[in-house]
Amino acid sequence: MAMNQGDRKTRSMRRKKDSLRDPVCGMMVDARENAIVYQQMHFAFCSLQCKERFLQTPHLYIGQGGHKAPKQEGQAVYKQRLLKLDKSLTPEMAETVLDNVQAM
């Protein structure tokens, strides 16, 4: 049984209505996928990684206290990683690592 154009349009509208934009990566996702309610707002995420990143630093994505989030301002939001070393770096090694990271 073939769908007519009206059925396709209704189905497409329903899909858009049931979709939300992942605040972390910007991908359109099902509103029930990895969903949470945060500060009385509903959010959905494409993956657990995006959900966890949001929960760690929600202010980067939705702002706080009347201030827009960096992402809302069009600024890039970068991941931050902590490195655990087996032994301390010498001051020279630490400077080299810092220079290389800053050059990225």
Side-chain angles (χ1 to χ4, degrees):
M1 179 176 177
M3 267 198 254
N4 67 34
Q5 192 166 353
D7 290 340
R8 281 192 203 111
K9 193 178 233 181
T10 302
R11 192 171 172 188
S12 175
M13 287 171 52
R14 191 177 309 122
R15 229 181 286 134
K16 288 178 184 174
K17 183 180 171 187
D18 293 340
S19 296
L20 292 174
R21 187 169 303 279
D22 181 323
V24 177
C25 70
M27 188 174 172
M28 291 303 291
V29 296
D30 184 299
R32 299 170 299 250
E33 195 170 339
N34 295 306
I36 63 167
V37 174
Y38 180 81
Q39 293 186 351
Q40 300 174 345
M41 294 180 281
H42 182 88
F43 296 96
F45 303 90
C46 69
S47 66
L48 288 175
Q49 181 183 6
C50 278
K51 181 178 178 180
E52 289 168 4
R53 190 178 302 166
F54 175 86
L55 290 171
Q56 289 173 356
T57 53
H59 63 280
L60 289 178
Y61 305 101
I62 62 169
Q64 66 187 51
H67 299 284
K68 285 187 173 184
K71 188 147 187 166
Q72 292 171 321
E73 300 266 343
Q75 298 175 20
V77 178
Y78 298 102
K79 288 186 195 178
Q80 292 184 352
R81 299 281 187 210
L82 297 175
L83 300 174
K84 186 174 182 180
L85 304 174
D86 292 333
K87 57 184 177 180
S88 297
L89 297 176
T90 65
E92 295 81 21
M93 290 170 65
E95 186 175 338
T96 300
V97 169
L98 185 59
D99 289 343
N100 287 324
V101 169
Q102 290 175 339
M104 292 180 162

